[in-house]
Amino acid sequence: MSEETQDWERDSPERLYVITGGRSDASEGAGSELDLVTLIVARTEPKVGMQPEHTSILRVTNSPLSVAEISAYLGLPVSVVTVLVADLLSEEQVEAREPHSALPDVKLIEAVIHGLRKL
């Protein structure tokens, strides 16, 4: 099998269709709140007989990873990863967390600006 044939099979729409069971998005249920920066953390270990992509997601999310990072690590489109993560969320095998978005202290920013101006 040539390298071009292998790449085509790995990235083919047919393969992605099979991986997701024909679903194109996770708009129903648990996946509806997922976005690129949602953090995913595994709650369980992979089980024998699991879909390989689900197993891969559980393995890479031992520590929190965003949906975008999972997509990059697995080499799958974000839309496919979102569907797969939604499956794992509905089975309570992973947990979704919102990223921390606390704003920095205004006094700290002012002190940094003041220090930069003195340079």
Side-chain angles (χ1 to χ4, degrees), residues 2 5 12 24 41 43 45 48 50 53-55 57 59 62 64 70-71 79-80 89 96 98 104 107 109 112 118:
S2 74
T5 306
S12 72
S24 61
V41 183
R43 297 178 82 190
E45 294 291 322
V48 175
M50 283 183 93
E53 293 78 14
H54 285 147
T55 299
I57 291 171
R59 286 190 177 138
N62 283 328
I70 296 168
S71 173
S79 59
V80 171
L89 278 168
E98 290 301 314
K107 289 185 181 191
I109 293 173
V112 169
K118 285 187 170 185

mmCIF file of all heavy atoms in Angstrom, residues 2 5 12 24 41 43 45 48 50 53-55 57 59 62 64 70-71 79-80 89 96 98 104 107 109 112 118:
data_model
loop_
_atom_site.group_PDB
_atom_site.id
_atom_site.type_symbol
_atom_site.label_atom_id
_atom_site.label_comp_id
_atom_site.label_asym_id
_atom_site.label_seq_id
_atom_site.Cartn_x
_atom_site.Cartn_y
_atom_site.Cartn_z
ATOM 1 N N SER A 2 0.622 2.169 -0.871
ATOM 2 C CA SER A 2 1.446 3.366 -0.964
ATOM 3 C C SER A 2 1.125 4.334 0.167
ATOM 4 O O SER A 2 0.084 4.254 0.810
ATOM 5 C CB SER A 2 1.227 4.056 -2.314
ATOM 6 O OG SER A 2 -0.015 4.705 -2.321
ATOM 7 N N THR A 5 -2.096 6.278 -0.404
ATOM 8 C CA THR A 5 -3.304 5.502 -0.110
ATOM 9 C C THR A 5 -3.553 5.466 1.388
ATOM 10 O O THR A 5 -4.681 5.608 1.841
ATOM 11 C CB THR A 5 -3.173 4.068 -0.670
ATOM 12 O OG1 THR A 5 -2.866 4.149 -2.050
ATOM 13 C CG2 THR A 5 -4.447 3.283 -0.470
ATOM 14 N N SER A 12 -9.977 10.013 5.263
ATOM 15 C CA SER A 12 -11.113 9.931 4.355
ATOM 16 C C SER A 12 -12.433 10.244 5.063
ATOM 17 O O SER A 12 -12.596 9.945 6.248
ATOM 18 C CB SER A 12 -11.194 8.543 3.720
ATOM 19 O OG SER A 12 -11.613 7.591 4.679
ATOM 20 N N SER A 24 -22.747 14.248 12.687
ATOM 21 C CA SER A 24 -21.860 15.332 12.252
ATOM 22 C C SER A 24 -21.576 16.354 13.337
ATOM 23 O O SER A 24 -20.652 17.143 13.227
ATOM 24 C CB SER A 24 -22.435 16.037 11.026
ATOM 25 O OG SER A 24 -23.681 16.599 11.350
ATOM 26 N N VAL A 41 -11.445 15.949 31.147
ATOM 27 C CA VAL A 41 -10.638 15.141 32.049
ATOM 28 C C VAL A 41 -11.254 13.751 32.126
ATOM 29 O O VAL A 41 -12.468 13.612 32.318
ATOM 30 C CB VAL A 41 -10.601 15.750 33.466
ATOM 31 C CG1 VAL A 41 -9.704 14.934 34.376
ATOM 32 C CG2 VAL A 41 -10.180 17.188 33.434
ATOM 33 N N ARG A 43 -12.415 10.315 33.640
ATOM 34 C CA ARG A 43 -12.887 9.875 34.952
ATOM 35 C C ARG A 43 -12.663 8.382 35.140
ATOM 36 O O ARG A 43 -12.732 7.887 36.254
ATOM 37 C CB ARG A 43 -14.371 10.186 35.099
ATOM 38 C CG ARG A 43 -14.683 11.667 35.056
ATOM 39 C CD ARG A 43 -16.151 11.921 35.151
ATOM 40 N NE ARG A 43 -16.553 11.872 36.556
ATOM 41 C CZ ARG A 43 -17.804 11.864 36.966
ATOM 42 N NH1 ARG A 43 -18.780 11.873 36.096
ATOM 43 N NH2 ARG A 43 -18.077 11.831 38.239
ATOM 44 N N GLU A 45 -10.659 4.621 33.324
ATOM 45 C CA GLU A 45 -9.630 4.053 32.456
ATOM 46 C C GLU A 45 -10.309 3.463 31.220
ATOM 47 O O GLU A 45 -11.482 3.077 31.278
ATOM 48 C CB GLU A 45 -8.870 2.946 33.192
ATOM 49 C CG GLU A 45 -8.057 3.445 34.377
ATOM 50 C CD GLU A 45 -6.866 4.285 33.945
ATOM 51 O OE1 GLU A 45 -6.250 3.943 32.917
ATOM 52 O OE2 GLU A 45 -6.567 5.270 34.639
ATOM 53 N N VAL A 48 -11.574 -2.707 27.772
ATOM 54 C CA VAL A 48 -11.357 -3.623 26.655
ATOM 55 C C VAL A 48 -12.578 -3.580 25.745
ATOM 56 O O VAL A 48 -13.721 -3.586 26.211
ATOM 57 C CB VAL A 48 -11.123 -5.062 27.180
ATOM 58 C CG1 VAL A 48 -11.007 -6.046 26.028
ATOM 59 C CG2 VAL A 48 -9.883 -5.107 28.054
ATOM 60 N N MET A 50 -13.411 -1.074 23.734
ATOM 61 C CA MET A 50 -13.854 0.288 23.404
ATOM 62 C C MET A 50 -13.397 0.662 22.011
ATOM 63 O O MET A 50 -12.397 0.143 21.507
ATOM 64 C CB MET A 50 -13.253 1.315 24.374
ATOM 65 C CG MET A 50 -13.880 1.396 25.713
ATOM 66 S SD MET A 50 -13.099 2.705 26.686
ATOM 67 C CE MET A 50 -14.206 4.049 26.299
ATOM 68 N N GLU A 53 -10.718 5.289 19.166
ATOM 69 C CA GLU A 53 -10.667 6.746 19.350
ATOM 70 C C GLU A 53 -11.126 7.146 20.752
ATOM 71 O O GLU A 53 -10.571 8.076 21.339
ATOM 72 C CB GLU A 53 -11.512 7.447 18.284
ATOM 73 C CG GLU A 53 -10.967 7.305 16.884
ATOM 74 C CD GLU A 53 -11.243 5.955 16.226
ATOM 75 O OE1 GLU A 53 -12.092 5.187 16.725
ATOM 76 O OE2 GLU A 53 -10.600 5.667 15.207
ATOM 77 N N HIS A 54 -12.126 6.455 21.295
ATOM 78 C CA HIS A 54 -12.548 6.712 22.673
ATOM 79 C C HIS A 54 -11.412 6.373 23.630
ATOM 80 O O HIS A 54 -11.137 7.119 24.576
ATOM 81 C CB HIS A 54 -13.790 5.902 23.035
ATOM 82 C CG HIS A 54 -15.044 6.430 22.440
ATOM 83 N ND1 HIS A 54 -16.079 5.614 22.064
ATOM 84 C CD2 HIS A 54 -15.452 7.683 22.146
ATOM 85 C CE1 HIS A 54 -17.069 6.343 21.566
ATOM 86 N NE2 HIS A 54 -16.700 7.614 21.611
ATOM 87 N N THR A 55 -10.754 5.250 23.382
ATOM 88 C CA THR A 55 -9.616 4.847 24.207
ATOM 89 C C THR A 55 -8.528 5.907 24.168
ATOM 90 O O THR A 55 -7.970 6.283 25.206
ATOM 91 C CB THR A 55 -9.058 3.493 23.714
ATOM 92 O OG1 THR A 55 -10.080 2.506 23.816
ATOM 93 C CG2 THR A 55 -7.857 3.059 24.524
ATOM 94 N N ILE A 57 -8.817 9.102 23.561
ATOM 95 C CA ILE A 57 -9.257 10.305 24.295
ATOM 96 C C ILE A 57 -9.067 10.097 25.794
ATOM 97 O O ILE A 57 -8.556 10.975 26.487
ATOM 98 C CB ILE A 57 -10.715 10.666 23.954
ATOM 99 C CG1 ILE A 57 -10.804 11.159 22.510
ATOM 100 C CG2 ILE A 57 -11.261 11.715 24.934
ATOM 101 C CD1 ILE A 57 -12.221 11.334 21.994
ATOM 102 N N ARG A 59 -6.980 8.169 27.271
ATOM 103 C CA ARG A 59 -5.551 8.122 27.599
ATOM 104 C C ARG A 59 -4.916 9.508 27.627
ATOM 105 O O ARG A 59 -4.087 9.793 28.485
ATOM 106 C CB ARG A 59 -4.819 7.229 26.608
ATOM 107 C CG ARG A 59 -5.087 5.769 26.859
ATOM 108 C CD ARG A 59 -4.188 4.877 26.041
ATOM 109 N NE ARG A 59 -4.464 3.492 26.385
ATOM 110 C CZ ARG A 59 -4.539 2.518 25.515
ATOM 111 N NH1 ARG A 59 -4.340 2.767 24.225
ATOM 112 N NH2 ARG A 59 -4.799 1.296 25.900
ATOM 113 N N ASN A 62 -5.715 12.251 30.922
ATOM 114 C CA ASN A 62 -5.420 12.001 32.338
ATOM 115 C C ASN A 62 -5.279 13.318 33.087
ATOM 116 O O ASN A 62 -5.607 13.407 34.256
ATOM 117 C CB ASN A 62 -4.154 11.153 32.487
ATOM 118 C CG ASN A 62 -4.429 9.704 32.174
ATOM 119 O OD1 ASN A 62 -5.512 9.208 32.416
ATOM 120 N ND2 ASN A 62 -3.442 9.031 31.615
ATOM 121 N N PRO A 64 -6.190 17.606 32.450
ATOM 122 C CA PRO A 64 -7.127 18.370 31.617
ATOM 123 C C PRO A 64 -6.521 18.826 30.286
ATOM 124 O O PRO A 64 -5.417 19.346 30.241
ATOM 125 C CB PRO A 64 -7.474 19.582 32.484
ATOM 126 C CG PRO A 64 -7.187 19.150 33.877
ATOM 127 C CD PRO A 64 -6.028 18.208 33.777
ATOM 128 N N ILE A 70 -7.083 17.997 22.202
ATOM 129 C CA ILE A 70 -7.390 16.590 21.921
ATOM 130 C C ILE A 70 -7.419 16.368 20.420
ATOM 131 O O ILE A 70 -6.862 15.393 19.913
ATOM 132 C CB ILE A 70 -8.731 16.177 22.568
ATOM 133 C CG1 ILE A 70 -8.655 16.269 24.090
ATOM 134 C CG2 ILE A 70 -9.128 14.766 22.136
ATOM 135 C CD1 ILE A 70 -9.989 16.166 24.790
ATOM 136 N N SER A 71 -8.065 17.277 19.708
ATOM 137 C CA SER A 71 -8.124 17.196 18.249
ATOM 138 C C SER A 71 -6.727 17.162 17.648
ATOM 139 O O SER A 71 -6.427 16.352 16.766
ATOM 140 C CB SER A 71 -8.909 18.394 17.705
ATOM 141 O OG SER A 71 -8.855 18.437 16.308
ATOM 142 N N SER A 79 -14.783 18.660 14.915
ATOM 143 C CA SER A 79 -16.174 18.194 14.874
ATOM 144 C C SER A 79 -16.276 16.708 15.243
ATOM 145 O O SER A 79 -17.211 16.301 15.936
ATOM 146 C CB SER A 79 -16.782 18.440 13.497
ATOM 147 O OG SER A 79 -16.028 17.761 12.501
ATOM 148 N N VAL A 80 -15.319 15.921 14.819
ATOM 149 C CA VAL A 80 -15.315 14.490 15.146
ATOM 150 C C VAL A 80 -15.000 14.299 16.625
ATOM 151 O O VAL A 80 -15.672 13.530 17.320
ATOM 152 C CB VAL A 80 -14.295 13.725 14.259
ATOM 153 C CG1 VAL A 80 -14.121 12.288 14.727
ATOM 154 C CG2 VAL A 80 -14.722 13.770 12.806
ATOM 155 N N LEU A 89 -18.952 11.774 27.561
ATOM 156 C CA LEU A 89 -19.658 12.546 28.585
ATOM 157 C C LEU A 89 -20.979 11.876 28.972
ATOM 158 O O LEU A 89 -21.309 11.782 30.150
ATOM 159 C CB LEU A 89 -19.936 13.966 28.093
ATOM 160 C CG LEU A 89 -18.815 14.966 28.200
ATOM 161 C CD1 LEU A 89 -19.148 16.223 27.414
ATOM 162 C CD2 LEU A 89 -18.524 15.304 29.643
ATOM 163 N N ALA A 96 -16.354 17.428 31.742
ATOM 164 C CA ALA A 96 -16.083 18.683 31.032
ATOM 165 C C ALA A 96 -16.019 19.810 32.049
ATOM 166 O O ALA A 96 -16.857 19.900 32.941
ATOM 167 C CB ALA A 96 -17.165 18.961 30.003
ATOM 168 N N GLU A 98 -15.169 24.133 32.437
ATOM 169 C CA GLU A 98 -14.932 25.417 31.788
ATOM 170 C C GLU A 98 -13.546 25.892 32.183
ATOM 171 O O GLU A 98 -13.141 25.732 33.327
ATOM 172 C CB GLU A 98 -15.990 26.445 32.205
ATOM 173 C CG GLU A 98 -17.362 26.155 31.645
ATOM 174 C CD GLU A 98 -17.387 26.108 30.131
ATOM 175 O OE1 GLU A 98 -16.801 27.001 29.480
ATOM 176 O OE2 GLU A 98 -17.979 25.170 29.591
ATOM 177 N N PRO A 104 -6.968 39.277 35.412
ATOM 178 C CA PRO A 104 -5.842 39.625 36.285
ATOM 179 C C PRO A 104 -6.182 40.844 37.140
ATOM 180 O O PRO A 104 -7.039 41.656 36.796
ATOM 181 C CB PRO A 104 -4.709 39.922 35.308
ATOM 182 C CG PRO A 104 -5.363 40.185 34.009
ATOM 183 C CD PRO A 104 -6.668 39.462 34.010
ATOM 184 N N LYS A 107 -4.506 46.273 39.749
ATOM 185 C CA LYS A 107 -3.353 46.917 40.381
ATOM 186 C C LYS A 107 -2.051 46.296 39.885
ATOM 187 O O LYS A 107 -1.054 46.999 39.701
ATOM 188 C CB LYS A 107 -3.453 46.813 41.896
ATOM 189 C CG LYS A 107 -4.550 47.696 42.461
ATOM 190 C CD LYS A 107 -4.551 47.662 43.959
ATOM 191 C CE LYS A 107 -5.698 48.554 44.436
ATOM 192 N NZ LYS A 107 -5.649 48.800 45.855
ATOM 193 N N ILE A 109 -1.544 44.960 36.898
ATOM 194 C CA ILE A 109 -1.334 45.458 35.530
ATOM 195 C C ILE A 109 -0.816 46.887 35.552
ATOM 196 O O ILE A 109 0.111 47.235 34.819
ATOM 197 C CB ILE A 109 -2.636 45.351 34.705
ATOM 198 C CG1 ILE A 109 -2.986 43.883 34.487
ATOM 199 C CG2 ILE A 109 -2.500 46.071 33.368
ATOM 200 C CD1 ILE A 109 -4.318 43.653 33.833
ATOM 201 N N VAL A 112 2.829 46.892 36.510
ATOM 202 C CA VAL A 112 3.674 46.436 35.398
ATOM 203 C C VAL A 112 3.827 47.564 34.371
ATOM 204 O O VAL A 112 4.943 47.847 33.913
ATOM 205 C CB VAL A 112 3.082 45.167 34.729
ATOM 206 C CG1 VAL A 112 3.794 44.842 33.429
ATOM 207 C CG2 VAL A 112 3.154 43.980 35.692
ATOM 208 N N LYS A 118 9.123 53.238 33.275
ATOM 209 C CA LYS A 118 10.365 53.694 33.894
ATOM 210 C C LYS A 118 11.598 53.187 33.148
ATOM 211 O O LYS A 118 12.674 53.737 33.337
ATOM 212 C CB LYS A 118 10.433 53.236 35.346
ATOM 213 C CG LYS A 118 9.542 54.032 36.255
ATOM 214 C CD LYS A 118 9.792 53.630 37.678
ATOM 215 C CE LYS A 118 9.095 54.562 38.631
ATOM 216 N NZ LYS A 118 9.400 54.273 40.016
#
